[in-house]
Amino acid sequence: MSTPETRPGTSQPPSGPLAGRRVRAAIIGTGAIGRGSHLPALNRLAEEGETEVVAAVDIDAIAVEEFCEQTGIPHAYTDLDRMLEEQRPDLVSICTPPTLHRAQTIAALRAGAWVWCEKPPVPTLADYDAVEAEEGTESGPYASIVFQHRFGSGSRHVRRLLAERAMGRPLVAHCQTTWYRDTAYYAVPWRGRWATEGGGPAMGHGIHQMDLLLDLLGPWSEVRAMAGRLVHDVETEDVSTALVRFENGALATVVNSVLSPEEVSRIRIDCERATVELTHLYGHSNANWRIVPAPEVPGDEAAAWQDFGADVPSSHLEQLRELVASMRKGERPRSSGADGRTSLELIAALYKSAFTDSTVRAGEIGPGDSFYTAMHGNVPGWAPVAAEEVSA
Ligand SMILES: NC(=O)c1ccc[n+]([C@@H]2O[C@H](COP(=O)([O-])OP(=O)(O)OC[C@H]3O[C@@H](n4cnc5c(N)ncnc54)[C@H](O)[C@@H]3O)[C@@H](O)[C@H]2O)c1
């Protein structure tokens, strides 16, 4: 068991405000992901001497009291500002619906806490930039977005092979989130609405896979997309397809669907000397990755590519581990700032391209663009219909 004083890999004595003590964490939103993923990850790092959970917040007073009682968290709150004032946590885990992320992240940053915020980060690029403007400039606090599929041994190994061009240049890629959600799933009134979900499967389901694709392949340069509302009674799309060109020249197809009975999450990248493929559903371990060399690749070189190292599955825990290490060093964590914004920008561009029948280039959606402040871009046929228009 390591403690902050004896962390492996550190030869220097720890310094900074967190030296020699645990990171004091608070969980905001005690629903499915808060109790199912954030608390277990925080508890695991607590066993390693890194963290302690000091408080939980939820608008449901009974639920948060019960949650704290059952899990041994000392302080239950229904008011975020009061919790921040009284507990002064170092880290705040935001596990609430996306429309709350902007205000809650800003409140935590202003109180001096680092933030680990669930995906989708915020509903729009304007919201993201407003949050980023509240981050510290030198050594934090920073807000990192939960993109757990970037973490673990498989993605680390493949990212390194791609960065080193070990398999040659990446040329062709496929990024697929083809899932199935039935009518009952969309019967809940907040689902499939721009105001409450922020978007359809591109935003709510495919964001993880697109984020991983961008993490592996680097910046994209242009996108052409189509979206459809083929089955469900929703405001948003229920399927989208896109063609994406990357700065490195690679061309990719991206499919985000909730209409696909055989569910799969897949990324496939054909490089000059090998195809690398990830096939999974909600998370991956080494066994979910496959690297198939081109015929001319020498056997010993191809064998070296198969060495993914000790199996560390993608998980909230792995991302949190890195985040806490960044906090101790006072360094910007991965998946924050510009690095946490990439998939949100691609999604905004995908919607703009699909709804305006145009090619959208990276960086073009900024202040003054209707897609900067609304993912539907106020485009008739996609933007929500105002109540008075419905009754007219
Ligand atoms: N990373 C992943 O793989 C993953 C998986 C599932 C969900 N999520 C994301 O996690 C977030 C939460 O999803 P969930 O499935 O846990 O939802 P949920 O509905 O189960 O839980 C949300 C909780 O937030 C609470 N809440 C609502 N308003 C609040 C407020 N103003 N202050 C404090 N608490 C408030 C609710 O009472 C509820 O307990 C969403 O952004 C979702 O997209 C991420």
Side-chain angles (χ1 to χ4, degrees), residues 31-33 58-59 95-96 100-101 104 118-120 148 208 316:
I33 206 75
D58 202 289
I59 39 158
C95 311
T96 51
L100 301 170
H101 292 177
Q104 291 180 334
E118 266 302 339
K119 53 57 61 174
Q148 75 270 23
H208 277 303
H316 280 70

Side-chain angles (χ1 to χ4, degrees), residues 28-35 37-38 57-60 63 77-78 80 94-98 100-101 104 118-120 146-149 190 204 208 282 316:
I28 321 304
T30 61
I33 206 75
R35 64 180 66 214
S37 296
H38 286 245
V57 183
D58 202 289
I59 39 158
D60 184 333
Y77 289 87
T78 54
L80 173 63
I94 296 188
C95 311
T96 51
L100 301 170
H101 292 177
Q104 291 180 334
E118 266 302 339
K119 53 57 61 174
V146 178
F147 284 126
Q148 75 270 23
H149 296 300
W190 54 268
H208 277 303
Y282 298 138
H316 280 70

Side-chain angles (χ1 to χ4, degrees), residues 178-254:
T178 36
W179 293 0
Y180 189 74
R181 296 294 180 267
D182 62 12
T183 311
Y185 176 86
Y186 283 104
V188 181
W190 54 268
R191 287 230 169 91
R193 313 270 152 226
W194 294 105
T196 40
E197 283 217 286
M203 186 75 155
H205 307 81
I207 191 169
H208 277 303
Q209 226 56 228
M210 288 186 280
D211 184 76
L212 179 55
L213 182 76
L214 294 170
D215 195 46
L216 293 173
L217 278 188
W220 59 279
S221 54
E222 59 180 315
V223 59
R224 297 176 197 183
M226 291 186 186
R229 203 186 276 135
L230 302 189
V231 170
H232 296 295
D233 180 18
V234 287
E235 277 177 3
T236 66
E237 87 288 5
D238 54 20
V239 59
S240 65
T241 60
L243 305 175
V244 183
R245 190 190 302 278
F246 282 79
E247 277 184 11
N248 62 25
L251 294 180
T253 65
V254 176

Side-chain angles (χ1 to χ4, degrees), residues 71-85:
T71 57
I73 297 173
H75 301 286
Y77 289 87
T78 54
D79 186 309
L80 173 63
D81 291 330
R82 195 167 147 224
M83 185 283 290
L84 291 169
E85 177 68 32

Side-chain angles (χ1 to χ4, degrees), residues 314-361:
S314 63
S315 68
H316 280 70
L317 173 63
E318 282 318 297
Q319 182 171 3
L320 182 65
R321 204 186 280 288
E322 260 197 53
L323 173 59
V324 168
S326 299
M327 289 178 72
R328 291 200 182 281
K329 292 185 212 145
E331 289 176 358
R332 177 177 278 291
R334 283 176 67 203
S335 198
S336 72
D339 186 46
R341 189 182 191 269
T342 54
S343 44
L344 194 69
E345 189 192 358
L346 179 61
I347 292 165
L350 182 157
Y351 283 136
K352 180 175 179 180
S353 173
F355 300 165
T356 63
D357 194 14
S358 61
T359 297
V360 178
R361 294 193 162 66

Side-chain angles (χ1 to χ4, degrees), residues 69-331:
E69 209 172 298
Q70 287 159 6
T71 57
I73 297 173
H75 301 286
Y77 289 87
T78 54
D79 186 309
L80 173 63
D81 291 330
R82 195 167 147 224
M83 185 283 290
L84 291 169
E85 177 68 32
E86 291 180 7
Q87 299 300 327
R88 312 303 303 179
D90 304 304
L91 173 65
V92 166
S93 256
I94 296 188
C95 311
T96 51
T99 47
L100 301 170
H101 292 177
R102 172 179 169 160
Q104 291 180 334
T105 301
I106 288 176
L109 289 170
R110 285 185 181 168
W114 292 49
V115 172
W116 193 33
C117 179
E118 266 302 339
K119 53 57 61 174
V122 280
T124 68
L125 289 171
D127 294 321
Y128 194 95
D129 294 345
V131 168
E132 211 185 330
E134 299 284 339
E135 291 185 319
T137 46
E138 290 287 315
S139 54
Y142 298 114
S144 179
I145 312 304
V146 178
F147 284 126
Q148 75 270 23
H149 296 300
R150 291 188 191 188
F151 296 81
S153 49
S155 45
R156 183 173 58 235
H157 177 63
V158 169
R159 191 184 313 108
R160 187 177 58 76
L161 290 179
L162 287 165
E164 291 172 355
R165 293 287 186 265
M167 302 175 292
R169 281 187 304 137
L171 304 172
V172 187
H174 304 279
C175 174
Q176 195 183 336
T177 305
T178 36
W179 293 0
Y180 189 74
R181 296 294 180 267
D182 62 12
T183 311
Y185 176 86
Y186 283 104
V188 181
W190 54 268
R191 287 230 169 91
R193 313 270 152 226
W194 294 105
T196 40
E197 283 217 286
M203 186 75 155
H205 307 81
I207 191 169
H208 277 303
Q209 226 56 228
M210 288 186 280
D211 184 76
L212 179 55
L213 182 76
L214 294 170
D215 195 46
L216 293 173
L217 278 188
W220 59 279
S221 54
E222 59 180 315
V223 59
R224 297 176 197 183
M226 291 186 186
R229 203 186 276 135
L230 302 189
V231 170
H232 296 295
D233 180 18
V234 287
E235 277 177 3
T236 66
E237 87 288 5
D238 54 20
V239 59
S240 65
T241 60
L243 305 175
V244 183
R245 190 190 302 278
F246 282 79
E247 277 184 11
N248 62 25
L251 294 180
T253 65
V254 176
V255 180
N256 301 298
S257 156
V258 285
L259 311 178
S260 309
E262 193 201 4
E263 296 190 299
V264 70
S265 309
R266 180 177 289 134
I267 286 180
R268 176 183 156 123
I269 302 172
D270 297 318
C271 301
E272 289 170 298
R273 306 177 67 227
T275 292
V276 57
E277 191 162 14
L278 166 66
T279 308
H280 68 120
L281 192 54
Y282 298 138
H284 52 80
S285 58
N286 288 353
N288 294 105
W289 295 81
R290 217 162 62 100
I291 298 179
V292 179
E296 67 276 12
V297 174
D300 54 346
E301 195 180 358
W305 295 343
Q306 307 299 335
D307 182 5
F308 282 69
D311 191 12
V312 181
S314 63
S315 68
H316 280 70
L317 173 63
E318 282 318 297
Q319 182 171 3
L320 182 65
R321 204 186 280 288
E322 260 197 53
L323 173 59
V324 168
S326 299
M327 289 178 72
R328 291 200 182 281
K329 292 185 212 145
E331 289 176 358

